[in-house]
Amino acid sequence: MAGYVKSQIQTPRRSLRRSTDEPAWVRWALTALAMAFAGVFLFLPLANVFAQALSLGWQYYQESIAHPHTLAAIRLTLLIAAICVPLNCLFGLAAAWAIAKFEFRGKSLLTALIDLPFSVSPVVSGLMIVVLFGAQGFLGEWLRERGIQIVFSIPGMVLATVFVTFPFVARELIPLMQAAGSDQEQAALTLGASGWRTFWHVTLPSVKWGLLYGIILCNARAMGEFGAVSVVSSHIAGLTDTLPLRVEKLYNEYNAAGAFAVASLLALLALATLVIKTWLEWRVAREEQLAQQGPMLSAGDIAGNSVEK
Amino acid sequence: MSIQLRNLTKRFGNVEAVSGVNLEVQDGELLALLGPSGCGKTTVLRMIAGLEEPTEGDIFIHGERVNHVPVQRRNIGFVFQNYALFKTMNVFDNIAFGLKVKKCKPAEQQRRVQELLKLFDLEGLSQRYPHQLSGGQRQRVAIARALAIQPRVLLLDEPFGAVDAKIRQELREWLVHLHDELNLTTIFVTHDQEEAMEVSRRIAIFSRGRLEQIGTPREVYEQPANEFVARFVGVMNVLETVVQNGVARCGELEFPAHGLDEGRAMRIGFRPYAVQISPDLGQYRYRAVLRHTFFLGIMLRLELELPSGLTVRARMTKEEYNALGLHDNCEVSFQIKAYRILAQEGAPLPPETSQIIEMPPNLGEGI
């Protein structure tokens, strides 16, 4: 329909161009505004991070990063991400599967709950962990009796990060799985495949790009999370500082160059994420394009490869 | 006997999708489940496959009750309406999937898939992905995949729904030939009566979850068990008549109704081929104007408009049409050779009235 209308409009090109297209100056002004905004608020700060990081020279930059506390922060950040990403990968797959393939009571509630971490301030997320597991919290007594420390230590930071990054994988997979339906899975079942085999050979391959996309975003957020982690961390340098907390600490210690040096690592992570994300989007778009072209490409085959005998 | 359904019933919440279906499918039979959308035919098919659990009743396959046998172990080939090919696998892997699951040796897999590719005329396409195939090719891959596991029964859900008209025709003939070759018990679901007539040896007609009739295409066409079947299979002129002075009347058309009460309503149906037409206005009893002629290849469908405004559909061959010298908007006379009573007010139909009634001469010939 849209295509039909468009092709009709294009015939009397001159007279209608003015009514459908915006005047040149509007287009230029809007483009310039968007570019200027991106330049001032996105590119300049990013460039500034690297400029500040290197302001005291390459030597100082290297030393800042090689500082034992910074190295410890890198290790902790990687550890938290290494725990959170697989967990949320699992939760995300389970939640997306449940929402896309089953009908059950409370489905819309679950869908809404998945989005909760997006709509709640990270600080509140951190406080929720404190309220739940802290000394005065619901489970505080029980945990203390058993000598388990959650708040103000690494388990609490992991929990806070898991909570904050929960929606990424699920959000990516739900629309994909809903669109795919469950016919392919049912076909696999009729061919004798177990549920487990069906999942690994049919379901997972068909959502792999979406899953990877979700994992990349989840990882970026897990490594960059500040608010929630800050609330539940005991801020002990070399022990419970992640990279973002380390940046804050260095900055508060008036070590701007050091702070920016560590910040540049996070900025590099962001850039790498962006590149992978763009590549994934390109892949998915290309596959969709191929899928749409497919039947047309093979139209010739129908004639050549006589359909029936 | 290959498949037996006993009092099969399926409820979704309060909705009864399938009610008390009893059906027997012979070994090697090609059976169509025909009915309008939402009549429960697909649910019956899915219950046989094990994709849906019956609420009541039993399913037997080769004499074994399979109600609680999971879908994986029923060994049934199922072809989905939109084919449900594995889109991340190429044609070869799609067909080999069931063999891999069964832990078939790689050499045996290779041999079996090659055999199927050849049988299904897909040899050059084994490395293609589903999105690179045409509708007809996809369907053949789907059937090949279902047959790879050497199923006891082949079930197809609207197998020709997703391809265009020309290929559909070819696929129908192909399915008949395939069935002749494999002699595998096959059940397919369709809403297209023409398709059911053409492809299957027996047709089971469903409406609102009930099995209305099962029989050969000829039986259901010529001896429909009830009004639904009579109206659903083939084209039928349907008239609402009222008994007046011993005849059932609708507009100027009259049918015998001896001994029936005045004012009783009767629904009467007659097939287009039961209408005889002549350009000689004195030859038959009724007059009409030939409004439209539809060319359906060798057969023509004619639309007659009566003075009262009633429309009657007739059909004849091209030769008859030319011999009579008919043309649109010409005046003709016609008679109805035979009809059947579909329903009558206040009383169930006596069984014999479901048969075709020959029109008595006094109500047929011209005066």
Side-chain angles (χ1 to χ4, degrees), chain A residues 183-184 186-194 197 201-202 205-206 290-291 294-295 298 301-302 306-308, chain B residues 46 72 76 80 82 84-89 97 101 121 128 131-134 137-138 140 145 170-171 174:
Chain A
D183 277 2
Q184 288 184 64
Q186 290 187 351
L189 295 182
T190 64
L191 293 169
S194 62
R197 192 186 181 100
H201 288 86
V202 176
S206 67
L290 276 178
S298 49
D301 297 330
I302 302 168
S306 88
V307 179
E308 268 60 48
Chain B
R46 290 173 62 85
Q72 289 98 328
I76 276 177
F80 289 80
N82 53 8
L85 297 178
F86 305 130
K87 56 182 184 169
T88 55
M89 297 179 203
F97 186 86
V101 169
D121 209 1
R128 296 256 186 115
H131 64 77
Q132 296 168 311
L133 301 175
S134 68
Q137 291 166 341
R138 276 178 216 185
R140 280 178 287 149
R145 181 179 69 177
E170 291 170 340
L171 284 171
W174 173 79

Side-chain angles (χ1 to χ4, degrees), chain B residues 6 12 23 66 242 252:
Chain B
R6 274 195 213 149
F12 294 105
L23 182 67
V66 295
V242 177
E252 48 274 85

Side-chain angles (χ1 to χ4, degrees), chain A residues 16-39:
Chain A
L16 279 170
R17 164 150 257 176
R18 262 173 248 140
S19 68
T20 54
D21 287 359
E22 297 298 336
W25 70 266
V26 174
R27 275 185 283 149
W28 278 106
L30 282 174
T31 313
L33 190 69
M35 293 296 265
F37 187 87

Side-chain angles (χ1 to χ4, degrees), chain A residues 154-192:
Chain A
I154 293 169
M157 296 167 76
V158 170
L159 280 176
T161 312
V162 166
F163 180 85
V164 169
T165 58
F166 178 69
F168 287 98
V169 173
R171 269 283 134 218
E172 281 305 319
L173 292 184
I174 289 167
L176 272 180
M177 286 192 173
Q178 272 173 338
S182 46
D183 277 2
Q184 288 184 64
E185 280 83 4
Q186 290 187 351
L189 295 182
T190 64
L191 293 169

Side-chain angles (χ1 to χ4, degrees), chain B residues 46-339:
Chain B
R46 290 173 62 85
M47 283 194 282
I48 296 172
L51 293 168
E52 216 75 75
E53 207 174 322
T55 315
E56 276 167 36
D58 298 312
I59 302 169
F60 295 87
I61 300 179
H62 290 309
E64 177 202 0
R65 186 172 175 273
V66 295
N67 282 40
H68 299 293
V69 177
V71 49
Q72 289 98 328
R73 284 199 271 118
R74 286 200 193 183
N75 197 20
I76 276 177
F78 198 99
V79 178
F80 289 80
Q81 187 171 4
N82 53 8
Y83 313 140
L85 297 178
F86 305 130
K87 56 182 184 169
T88 55
M89 297 179 203
N90 62 26
V91 170
F92 188 98
D93 290 336
N94 261 283
I95 298 174
F97 186 86
L99 300 170
K100 278 183 193 148
V101 169
K102 292 203 162 161
K103 304 219 160 61
C104 224
K105 290 197 184 87
E108 173 68 11
Q109 280 179 31
Q110 184 81 21
R111 192 186 63 73
R112 192 90 190 99
V113 175
Q114 290 302 343
E115 213 177 87
L116 284 161
L117 286 171
K118 194 160 172 224
L119 175 65
F120 285 75
D121 209 1
L122 291 163
E123 276 164 308
L125 307 173
S126 70
Q127 296 308 308
R128 296 256 186 115
Y129 283 85
H131 64 77
Q132 296 168 311
L133 301 175
S134 68
Q137 291 166 341
R138 276 178 216 185
Q139 196 211 29
R140 280 178 287 149
V141 174
I143 298 178
R145 181 179 69 177
L147 290 178
I149 56 167
Q150 291 177 303
R152 294 184 286 184
V153 181
L154 181 63
L155 307 177
L156 304 107
D157 187 7
E158 296 273 0
F160 312 112
V163 289
D164 51 58
K166 190 183 170 304
I167 296 174
R168 195 178 309 161
Q169 182 58 41
E170 291 170 340
L171 284 171
R172 283 181 196 173
E173 290 164 17
W174 173 79
L175 184 66
V176 172
H177 293 158
L178 181 79
H179 178 257
D180 288 346
E181 215 164 307
L182 300 173
N183 202 27
L184 179 67
T185 311
T186 305
I187 305 178
F188 77 100
V189 155
T190 179
H191 62 267
D192 183 341
Q193 43 123 340
E194 211 176 290
E195 194 168 283
M197 292 269 199
E198 198 179 311
V199 176
S200 61
R201 308 302 151 83
R202 280 206 305 163
I203 302 178
I205 296 165
F206 285 82
S207 145
R208 298 180 185 181
R210 294 190 179 279
L211 177 60
E212 300 284 357
Q213 187 175 6
I214 178 158
T216 64
R218 191 165 178 164
E219 278 165 6
V220 297
Y221 187 74
E222 290 180 351
Q223 295 146 33
N226 54 38
E227 187 188 357
F228 175 82
V229 177
R231 297 181 73 162
F232 191 72
V233 178
V235 180
M236 182 161 277
N237 291 292
V238 178
L239 300 172
E240 303 289 347
T241 67
V242 177
V243 177
Q244 284 170 351
N245 304 325
V247 279
R249 212 182 293 268
C250 175
E252 48 274 85
L253 300 179
E254 293 179 339
F255 300 86
H258 301 298
L260 288 175
D261 300 345
E262 270 313 275
R264 172 177 283 189
M266 258 167 106
R267 190 176 302 138
I268 280 174
F270 54 96
R271 299 280 188 202
Y273 66 71
V275 178
Q276 267 182 325
I277 298 178
S278 167
D280 174 1
L281 298 183
Q283 188 170 0
Y284 298 125
R285 182 188 164 100
Y286 304 113
R287 298 267 186 99
V289 175
L290 172 55
R291 273 294 170 229
H292 296 290
T293 308
F294 300 94
F295 289 84
L296 313 167
I298 185 142
M299 293 301 284
L300 305 180
R301 199 174 86 217
L302 312 178
E303 221 176 78
L304 305 178
E305 193 183 304
L306 277 63
S308 64
L310 270 179
T311 299
V312 166
R313 283 172 293 180
R315 65 187 288 167
M316 59 174 64
T317 63
K318 207 153 59 184
E319 285 73 24
E320 287 173 299
Y321 185 85
N322 291 339
L324 292 171
L326 300 176
H327 55 87
D328 279 5
N329 295 321
C330 74
E331 253 197 290
V332 295
S333 70
F334 75 93
Q335 68 163 346
I336 298 159
K337 277 190 300 182
Y339 65 97

